[in-house]
Amino acid sequence: MVTFKRAEKSESKLRMVLVGPAGSGKTWTSLKLATVLAEGGKVAVIDTESGSAKKYADIFNFDVVELESFHPAQYIDAIHAAEDGGYDVLVIDSLSHGWSGKDGVLELVDKESARQKTPNNFAAWRVATPIQEKFMDSIVSAKIHVIATLRAKTEYIQSTDERGKTIIKKVGLAPIQRDGVEYLFDVIADMDTNNNCVISKTRCSALAGQMFAKPGVEVAEILMEWLKGVAPTPR
């Protein structure tokens, strides 16, 4: 017999993703948010960006594992290790390598297609898709806060400034991961090369439609209030 009960807001764990091109400040921002969310606790980082997180080790306190293979199983093992290790917040920098990097899902599809000796990769996707889904499930079901980053495909656009001078600007486009994967998260933050952050999707009403320059403590405090079921403080 199915029984419904009244829904209640209880303290929840954050699922946030920062999307942006190289140089948009995704790593620094994720570490800043994680440090505040940890409230003096422990922060773990899964680094796929050739040790880039360690460049901020003089500013933030965290433990890191640097993946050399980006097979989803490696991410899953690291996520479970962060849970078992008593960490309060996990930063995954980045998820994109699990899709298009060495041993990532796209490479698994290519290898499976080659093994089957067929140009049609439909059957190969039947092997790779469950691996990708298990990867995403490990993030959604994690018992700690998770802040992930996604690289965005970049494009250069030409425009003119107020003086009529031609300027070239780098902009971020679609994130590098399976289509729609970012919508598994509570908060999607799009970042640009000026370190501006636009909240493009959120379950936290206090953040809806907001833009932050160099986001940090303010964003983290709003999220903490929301996660704990506290009415947002007027800002």
Side-chain angles (χ1 to χ4, degrees):
M1 179 179 179
V2 176
T3 303
F4 291 90
K5 62 180 181 179
R6 182 174 297 277
E8 296 180 359
K9 178 71 180 290
S10 59
E11 188 167 348
S12 304
K13 299 303 181 184
L14 178 66
R15 306 286 180 262
M16 182 175 187
V17 64
L18 307 176
V19 183
S24 57
K26 299 186 298 298
T27 302
W28 189 94
T29 301
S30 62
L31 288 169
K32 181 64 176 179
L33 295 173
T35 299
V36 178
L37 284 166
E39 299 184 275
K42 299 196 300 179
V43 175
V45 177
I46 299 173
D47 187 346
T48 70
E49 299 281 355
S50 303
S52 64
K54 291 191 297 188
K55 296 174 182 176
Y56 302 108
D58 58 334
I59 303 173
F60 306 107
N61 293 319
F62 58 91
D63 296 334
V64 63
V65 60
E66 297 175 11
L67 299 186
E68 295 181 0
S69 165
F70 307 127
H71 191 291
Q74 295 294 311
Y75 281 89
I76 293 169
D77 287 347
I79 292 167
H80 291 330
E83 292 178 295
D84 296 340
Y87 290 92
D88 299 279
V89 186
L90 172 64
V91 173
I92 305 176
D93 187 30
S94 72
L95 287 180
S96 293
H97 291 83
W99 181 251
S100 62
K102 176 186 175 184
D103 301 325
V105 172
L106 294 182
E107 189 169 298
L108 295 179
V109 170
D110 290 341
K111 289 180 177 178
E112 182 64 20
S113 294
R115 187 187 70 81
Q116 296 179 11
K117 298 180 180 179
T118 173
N120 187 336
N121 63 13
F122 178 78
W125 274 108
R126 289 200 300 178
V127 173
T129 295
I131 297 173
Q132 167 74 2
E133 291 176 347
K134 187 176 181 181
F135 177 19
M136 293 300 110
D137 286 345
S138 70
I139 296 173
V140 173
S141 62
K143 299 178 178 63
I144 58 179
H145 299 303
V146 177
I147 301 173
T149 70
L150 279 173
R151 289 182 172 187
K153 298 173 185 176
T154 57
E155 181 177 272
Y156 291 88
I157 60 173
Q158 179 176 301
S159 60
T160 55
D161 61 17
E162 64 277 3
R163 298 179 180 179
K165 183 179 179 180
T166 298
I167 56 175
I168 305 297
K169 184 177 181 180
K170 182 169 69 173
V171 296
L173 300 174
I176 302 174
Q177 244 292 344
R178 189 163 194 166
D179 288 348
V181 73
E182 68 273 26
Y183 292 102
L184 295 173
F185 293 81
D186 301 317
V187 181
I188 303 173
D190 295 316
M191 300 194 67
D192 64 22
T193 52
N194 292 318
N195 304 141
N196 294 315
C197 165
V198 175
I199 307 299
S200 59
K201 177 252 181 179
T202 179
R203 296 186 174 100
C204 172
S205 59
L207 286 178
Q210 297 273 19
M211 192 278 283
F212 300 90
K214 297 182 179 180
V217 174
E218 181 182 5
V219 174
E221 288 180 344
I222 292 172
L223 288 167
M224 288 168 64
E225 290 176 351
W226 172 66
L227 292 165
K228 294 178 180 179
V230 178
T233 302
R235 299 174 190 275

